[in-house]
């Protein structure tokens, strides 16, 4: 049989990209990831390498200087990068989502001004919906946009921005009281441009500092405080026609993000399995390698099955989106299954390592702190179940 998580019917170019990325991961990420993660140090050299490979423009149209590749290619690249170090995939995830939002919903001016610089990695993107008192309950957003002539004034506080400091443009969902009969039609997405860095990065906009986390280190996660930030009307995603469309635009981006999180979970699972199957053939007890003990062999079989199932569901969700079909249920299923299985596969790998798994010298210790993030990012498992059940009830409506 082939190795786990192989994908059928790829083009030669897709296969070449994945081979190049896998080599990069093996040579430039895996040897350095654990040391950088323990130091919580941003991986500048790795990010520079990704820029040289053109990965920041992977899904951006060739018209704007990108590679013009599909969501499937993007997901498979993310899977490989997360196999090396999950935090690295975070560097490009929100960037991809913002580029996708601009490409799908932006004005011609927004596309021409931002996408070429995003394709090179000169401008990086961040994505902002959550607030201190609002996670998945998007209707509870308090940050507001107040029209003032040809400008808007933004006030509020945002939370959990991956790449919040290094980003040059932040796609930000806020309340925009338009008098619509639904709270969701009173929301607008703004493309807030700022200088990279911490502190006040444009008048009224402050990135206070880096949030200290259990895992997902290296890449920064920040807050964003908006205190009378003045932005031009041209910063509304999609221009005037985009006002009141922010929630729907962001949900379109979140579907891409859920495929991404599923891909990240697959990558971490693959690495956890690789570590387990290697250790099980090196470690010997009672006169034989522990892989020959049925208790360990059965663990490996179950882990491999979960890796394969997660990968297949992730690929299906990506291909549906590429085909222009609705994939909210499939993306939710892929994210749910992949993240839950990732936690299980990583823990089983940890158990196979025994006491050594608890040591920071072994890579599995890092994966044990990274896997829980995937249960939360882009919506918890409970949120995914809500999305899935609603979609099923819509499809199988009685009567």
């Amino acid at each position: 049989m082939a190795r786990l998580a192989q994908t059928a019917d790829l083009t030669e170019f897709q296969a070449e990209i994945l081979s190049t990325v896998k080599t990069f991961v093996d040579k430039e990420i895996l040897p350095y990831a654990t040391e950088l993660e323990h130091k919580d140090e941003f991986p500048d050299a790795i990010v520079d390498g990704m820029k040289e490979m053109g990965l920041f423009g992977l899904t951006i149209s060739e018209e704007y200087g990108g590679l013009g590749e599909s969501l499937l290619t993007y997901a498979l690249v993310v899977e490989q990068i997360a196999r090396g170090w999950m935090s690295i995939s975070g560097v490009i995830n929100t960037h991809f989502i913002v580029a996708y939002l601009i490409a799908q919903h932006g004005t011609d001016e927004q596309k021409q001004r931002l996408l070429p610089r995003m394709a090179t990695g000169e401008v990086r993107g961040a994505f902002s919906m959550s607030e201190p008192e609002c996670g998945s309950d998007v209707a509870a957003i308090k940050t507001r946009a107040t029209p003032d002539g040809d400008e808007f004034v933004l006030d509020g506080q945002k939370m959990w921005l991956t790449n919040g400091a290094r980003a040059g443009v932040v796609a930000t969902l806020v309340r925009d009281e338009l008098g619509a009969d639904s709270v969701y039609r009173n929301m607008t997405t703004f493309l807030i441009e700022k200088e990279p860095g911490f502190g006040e990065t444009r008048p009224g906009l402050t990135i206070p500092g880096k949030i200290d986390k259990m895992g997902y280190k290296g890449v920064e996660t920040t807050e964003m405080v908006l205190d009378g930030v003045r932005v031009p009307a041209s910063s509304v995603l999609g221009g005037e026609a985009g006002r009141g469309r922010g929630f729907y635009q962001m949900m379109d981006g979140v579907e891409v993000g859920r495929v991404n999180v599923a891909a990240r979970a697959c990558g971490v699972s693959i690495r956890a399995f690789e570590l387990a199957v290697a250790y099980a053939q090196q470690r010997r007890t009672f006169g034989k390698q522990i892989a020959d003990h049925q208790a360990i062999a059965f663990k490996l079989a179950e882990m491999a099955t979960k890796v394969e199932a997660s990968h297949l569901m992730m690929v299906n969700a990506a291909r549906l989106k590429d085909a222009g079909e609705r994939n909210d249920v499939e993306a939710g299923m892929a994210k749910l299954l992949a993240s839950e299985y990732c936690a299980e596969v990583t823990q089983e790998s940890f158990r196979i390592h025994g006491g050594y798994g608890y040591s920071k010298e072994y890579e599995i210790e890092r994966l044990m702190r990274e896997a829980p993030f995937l249960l939360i990012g882009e919506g918890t498992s409970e949120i995914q179940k809500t999305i899935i059940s609603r979609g099923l009830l819509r499809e199988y409506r009685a009567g």
Side-chain angles (χ1 to χ4, degrees), residues 88-129:
I88 301 294
S89 62
V91 173
I92 55 176
N93 174 37
T94 55
H95 179 83
F96 279 144
I97 294 176
V98 176
Y100 172 84
L101 288 174
I102 295 170
Q104 292 294 115
H105 305 287
T107 64
D108 287 340
E109 185 276 333
Q110 289 167 345
K111 294 175 188 177
Q112 292 166 10
R113 180 165 50 84
L114 292 170
L115 290 180
R117 291 186 293 152
M118 293 183 76
T120 63
E122 174 194 347
V123 171
R124 303 245 287 278
F127 179 85
S128 178
M129 286 199 303

Coordinates of all heavy atoms in Angstrom, one line a residue, residues 88-129:
I88 N 3.7 27.3 11.9 CA 4.0 27.9 10.6 C 2.8 28.0 9.7 O 2.6 28.9 8.9 CB 5.1 27.0 9.9 CG1 6.4 26.9 10.7 CG2 5.4 27.6 8.5 CD1 7.1 28.2 10.9
S89 N 1.9 27.0 9.8 CA 0.7 27.0 9.0 C -0.2 28.2 9.4 O -0.9 28.8 8.6 CB -0.1 25.7 9.1 OG -0.5 25.5 10.4
G90 N 0.0 28.6 10.7 CA -0.8 29.8 11.2 C -0.3 31.1 10.5 O -1.1 32.0 10.4
V91 N 1.0 31.1 10.1 CA 1.5 32.3 9.5 C 0.8 32.6 8.2 O 0.6 33.8 7.8 CB 3.1 32.2 9.3 CG1 3.6 33.3 8.5 CG2 3.8 32.1 10.7
I92 N 0.5 31.5 7.5 CA -0.1 31.7 6.2 C -1.6 31.6 6.1 O -2.3 32.0 5.2 CB 0.5 30.8 5.1 CG1 0.5 29.3 5.5 CG2 2.0 31.2 4.8 CD1 1.0 28.4 4.5
N93 N -2.2 31.0 7.2 CA -3.6 30.7 7.2 C -4.5 32.0 7.1 O -5.3 32.1 6.1 CB -4.1 29.9 8.4 CG -5.6 29.7 8.5 OD1 -6.2 29.5 7.5 ND2 -6.1 29.8 9.7
T94 N -4.4 32.9 8.0 CA -5.2 34.1 8.0 C -4.8 34.9 6.8 O -5.7 35.6 6.2 CB -5.0 34.9 9.3 OG1 -3.7 35.2 9.5 CG2 -5.6 34.2 10.5
H95 N -3.6 34.9 6.3 CA -3.2 35.6 5.1 C -4.0 35.0 3.9 O -4.5 35.8 3.1 CB -1.7 35.3 4.9 CG -1.2 36.0 3.6 ND1 -0.8 37.3 3.6 CD2 -0.9 35.5 2.4 CE1 -0.3 37.6 2.4 NE2 -0.4 36.5 1.6
F96 N -4.1 33.7 3.8 CA -4.9 33.1 2.7 C -6.3 33.5 2.8 O -7.0 33.8 1.8 CB -4.8 31.6 2.8 CG -3.5 31.0 2.2 CD1 -2.9 29.9 2.8 CD2 -2.9 31.6 1.1 CE1 -1.8 29.4 2.2 CE2 -1.8 31.0 0.5 CZ -1.2 29.9 1.1
I97 N -6.9 33.5 4.0 CA -8.3 33.9 4.1 C -8.6 35.3 3.7 O -9.5 35.6 2.9 CB -8.8 33.7 5.6 CG1 -8.8 32.2 6.0 CG2 -10.2 34.2 5.8 CD1 -9.1 31.9 7.4
V98 N -7.7 36.2 4.1 CA -7.9 37.6 3.7 C -7.7 37.8 2.2 O -8.5 38.5 1.5 CB -6.9 38.5 4.5 CG1 -7.1 40.0 4.0 CG2 -7.2 38.5 6.0
A99 N -6.7 37.1 1.6 CA -6.6 37.2 0.2 C -7.8 36.6 -0.6 O -8.2 37.1 -1.6 CB -5.3 36.4 -0.3
Y100 N -8.3 35.5 0.0 CA -9.6 34.9 -0.6 C -10.7 35.9 -0.5 O -11.5 36.1 -1.5 CB -9.9 33.6 0.1 CG -11.2 33.0 -0.3 CD1 -11.3 32.2 -1.4 CD2 -12.4 33.3 0.5 CE1 -12.6 31.7 -1.8 CE2 -13.6 32.7 0.1 CZ -13.7 31.9 -1.0 OH -14.9 31.4 -1.4
L101 N -10.9 36.5 0.6 CA -12.0 37.5 0.8 C -11.9 38.7 -0.2 O -12.9 39.1 -0.8 CB -12.0 38.0 2.2 CG -12.5 37.1 3.3 CD1 -12.3 37.7 4.7 CD2 -13.9 36.7 3.1
I102 N -10.7 39.2 -0.4 CA -10.5 40.3 -1.3 C -10.7 39.8 -2.7 O -11.4 40.5 -3.5 CB -9.1 40.8 -1.2 CG1 -8.9 41.5 0.2 CG2 -8.8 41.9 -2.3 CD1 -7.4 41.9 0.5
A103 N -10.2 38.6 -3.1 CA -10.4 38.1 -4.4 C -11.9 37.8 -4.7 O -12.4 38.1 -5.9 CB -9.6 36.8 -4.6
Q104 N -12.6 37.3 -3.8 CA -14.1 37.0 -4.0 C -15.0 38.2 -3.8 O -16.0 38.2 -4.5 CB -14.5 35.9 -3.0 CG -13.8 34.6 -3.2 CD -14.2 33.9 -4.5 OE1 -13.4 33.7 -5.4 NE2 -15.5 33.6 -4.6
H105 N -14.7 39.1 -2.9 CA -15.7 40.1 -2.6 C -15.1 41.5 -2.7 O -15.9 42.5 -2.6 CB -16.1 39.9 -1.1 CG -16.7 38.5 -0.8 ND1 -17.9 38.1 -1.3 CD2 -16.1 37.5 -0.2 CE1 -18.1 36.9 -0.9 NE2 -17.1 36.5 -0.2
G106 N -13.9 41.7 -3.0 CA -13.3 43.0 -3.0 C -13.6 43.8 -4.3 O -14.0 43.2 -5.3
T107 N -13.4 45.1 -4.3 CA -13.6 45.9 -5.5 C -12.3 45.7 -6.4 O -11.3 45.2 -5.9 CB -13.7 47.4 -5.1 OG1 -12.5 47.8 -4.5 CG2 -14.9 47.6 -4.2
D108 N -12.4 46.2 -7.6 CA -11.2 46.1 -8.5 C -10.1 46.8 -7.9 O -8.9 46.4 -8.0 CB -11.6 46.6 -9.9 CG -12.5 45.7 -10.7 OD1 -12.5 44.5 -10.3 OD2 -13.1 46.1 -11.6
E109 N -10.3 48.0 -7.3 CA -9.3 48.8 -6.7 C -8.6 48.1 -5.6 O -7.4 48.1 -5.4 CB -9.9 50.2 -6.3 CG -8.8 51.2 -5.8 CD -8.5 51.0 -4.3 OE1 -9.3 50.4 -3.5 OE2 -7.3 51.3 -3.9
Q110 N -9.4 47.4 -4.7 CA -8.9 46.7 -3.6 C -8.0 45.5 -4.1 O -6.9 45.3 -3.5 CB -10.0 46.2 -2.7 CG -10.7 47.3 -1.9 CD -12.0 46.9 -1.3 OE1 -12.6 45.8 -1.6 NE2 -12.5 47.7 -0.3
K111 N -8.5 44.8 -5.1 CA -7.7 43.7 -5.6 C -6.4 44.2 -6.2 O -5.3 43.6 -5.9 CB -8.5 43.0 -6.7 CG -9.7 42.3 -6.2 CD -10.5 41.7 -7.4 CE -11.9 41.2 -6.9 NZ -12.7 40.7 -8.0
Q112 N -6.4 45.2 -7.0 CA -5.2 45.7 -7.7 C -4.2 46.3 -6.7 O -3.0 46.2 -6.9 CB -5.6 46.8 -8.7 CG -6.3 46.1 -9.9 CD -7.0 47.2 -10.8 OE1 -6.8 48.4 -10.7 NE2 -7.9 46.7 -11.7
R113 N -4.7 46.9 -5.6 CA -3.8 47.6 -4.7 C -3.2 46.6 -3.7 O -2.0 46.8 -3.3 CB -4.6 48.7 -3.9 CG -3.8 49.4 -2.9 CD -4.5 50.7 -2.4 NE -5.9 50.4 -2.1 CZ -6.2 50.0 -0.8 NH1 -5.3 49.8 0.1 NH2 -7.5 49.8 -0.6
L114 N -4.0 45.6 -3.3 CA -3.5 44.7 -2.2 C -3.0 43.4 -2.6 O -2.0 42.9 -2.1 CB -4.6 44.5 -1.2 CG -5.1 45.7 -0.4 CD1 -6.4 45.5 0.4 CD2 -4.0 46.2 0.6
L115 N -3.6 42.7 -3.6 CA -3.3 41.4 -3.9 C -1.8 41.2 -4.4 O -1.2 40.2 -4.0 CB -4.3 40.8 -4.9 CG -5.7 40.5 -4.3 CD1 -6.6 39.9 -5.4 CD2 -5.6 39.6 -3.1
P116 N -1.3 42.1 -5.3 CA 0.1 41.9 -5.7 C 1.1 41.9 -4.6 O 2.0 41.1 -4.5 CB 0.3 43.0 -6.7 CG -1.1 43.4 -7.2 CD -2.0 43.2 -6.0
R117 N 0.9 42.8 -3.6 CA 1.8 42.9 -2.5 C 1.6 41.7 -1.5 O 2.5 41.3 -0.8 CB 1.6 44.2 -1.8 CG 2.1 45.4 -2.6 CD 2.1 46.7 -1.8 NE 0.7 47.1 -1.5 CZ 0.4 47.8 -0.4 NH1 1.3 48.2 0.4 NH2 -0.9 48.1 -0.2
M118 N 0.3 41.2 -1.4 CA 0.1 40.0 -0.6 C 0.7 38.8 -1.2 O 1.2 37.9 -0.5 CB -1.4 39.8 -0.4 CG -2.1 40.9 0.4 SD -3.8 40.7 0.7 CE -3.8 39.4 2.0
A119 N 0.7 38.7 -2.6 CA 1.3 37.5 -3.3 C 2.8 37.4 -3.0 O 3.3 36.2 -2.9 CB 1.0 37.7 -4.8
T120 N 3.5 38.4 -2.8 CA 4.9 38.4 -2.5 C 5.2 38.2 -1.0 O 6.3 37.9 -0.6 CB 5.6 39.6 -3.0 OG1 5.1 40.8 -2.2 CG2 5.4 39.9 -4.4
G121 N 4.2 38.4 -0.1 CA 4.4 38.4 1.3 C 4.8 39.7 1.9 O 5.0 39.9 3.1
E122 N 4.9 40.7 1.0 CA 5.2 42.1 1.5 C 4.2 42.6 2.4 O 4.5 43.2 3.5 CB 5.4 43.1 0.3 CG 5.6 44.5 0.7 CD 5.4 45.5 -0.5 OE1 5.3 45.0 -1.7 OE2 5.3 46.7 -0.3
V123 N 2.9 42.4 2.1 CA 1.8 42.7 3.0 C 1.2 41.4 3.4 O 0.9 40.5 2.6 CB 0.7 43.6 2.3 CG1 -0.5 43.7 3.1 CG2 1.3 44.9 1.9
R124 N 1.0 41.2 4.7 CA 0.5 40.0 5.3 C -0.9 40.3 5.8 O -1.2 41.4 6.3 CB 1.4 39.5 6.4 CG 2.8 39.2 5.9 CD 3.1 37.8 5.9 NE 3.3 37.4 7.3 CZ 4.5 37.6 8.0 NH1 5.5 38.2 7.4 NH2 4.6 37.1 9.3
G125 N -1.8 39.3 5.8 CA -3.2 39.5 6.2 C -3.5 38.9 7.6 O -2.9 37.9 7.9
A126 N -4.4 39.6 8.3 CA -4.9 39.0 9.5 C -6.5 39.1 9.5 O -7.0 39.9 8.7 CB -4.4 39.8 10.8
F127 N -7.1 38.3 10.2 CA -8.6 38.1 10.2 C -9.2 38.3 11.5 O -8.7 37.7 12.5 CB -8.8 36.6 9.7 CG -10.2 36.2 9.5 CD1 -10.9 36.5 8.3 CD2 -10.8 35.5 10.5 CE1 -12.2 36.0 8.2 CE2 -12.1 35.0 10.4 CZ -12.8 35.3 9.2
S128 N -10.2 39.1 11.7 CA -10.7 39.5 13.0 C -12.2 39.5 13.1 O -12.8 40.4 12.5 CB -10.1 40.9 13.4 OG -10.6 41.2 14.7
M129 N -12.7 38.5 13.9 CA -14.1 38.5 14.3 C -14.3 38.6 15.8 O -15.1 39.3 16.3 CB -14.8 37.3 13.7 CG -15.1 37.3 12.2 SD -16.4 36.2 11.7 CE -15.7 34.6 12.3

